[in-house]
Amino acid sequence: MRALARADPTAHDEGLAHALVALGADLAGAGRLPEAIDTMAESVAVRRGLSREIPAAHSAELSQSLANLALLLLDANRPAQALPAAAEAVLLLKRHHAEAPELHRADLGRCLSILAVCLDATGRRPERLAAAVDAIRQYEAACKTEPELTPHRGPSSPRSKPTPPPV
């Protein structure tokens, strides 16, 4: 896939990014955390390039890769590196949320939850509380408009494994 993306990025970068997210999740699940982090960081780089070209089409996916990278970095006990990734994910989703709140509430809640964990792990507890409260508000609003978001079918918890791309 990487060779295809190098040969024709326009045609294959999106597929490469999805494949990298899935591979990163699989590597994490297999206990290969350093490789998972490198793979997820590569997905961030690919999605960052896509987002520069067409922000409206790709920045939400970039935010998910950043959130997944933050989770992996937290699992590797690297909260100082996880924090900027989580903060950027929230910033990107807040922009989307401002344009279409009903489409991004659950994802924003997930990213805010991850940010809250990062803030807590770096000793920034007052900011953590604000992020956690905002996450709860987003989840509550999402559940009102999307009743199918139950505790068993809702967004991933902040310490869950990275989210693979939809099939």
Side-chain angles (χ1 to χ4, degrees), residues 19-122:
L20 290 167
V21 169
L23 177 60
D26 289 345
L27 288 166
R32 296 166 58 183
L33 198 52
E35 292 169 273
I37 290 169
D38 291 344
T39 302
M40 201 61 67
E42 186 179 353
S43 81
V44 167
V46 171
R47 285 188 165 160
R48 193 177 301 284
L50 289 166
S51 183
R52 270 193 296 270
E53 292 174 19
I54 310 171
H58 297 288
S59 61
E61 288 84 9
L62 172 58
S63 70
Q64 294 308 311
S65 285
L66 285 161
N68 289 338
L69 178 60
L71 286 172
L72 292 172
L73 290 165
L74 283 169
D75 285 345
N77 199 28
R78 293 163 53 186
Q81 291 175 300
L83 181 58
E88 185 179 354
V90 168
L91 179 66
L92 289 169
L93 276 175
K94 281 188 174 184
R95 289 180 190 151
H96 282 284
H97 179 73
E99 296 167 8
E102 65 285 349
L103 297 177
H104 300 286
R105 283 186 181 114
D107 289 336
L108 180 55
R110 175 180 181 261
C111 288
L112 283 162
S113 294
I114 295 166
L115 178 61
V117 173
C118 291
L119 289 165
D120 186 59
T122 55

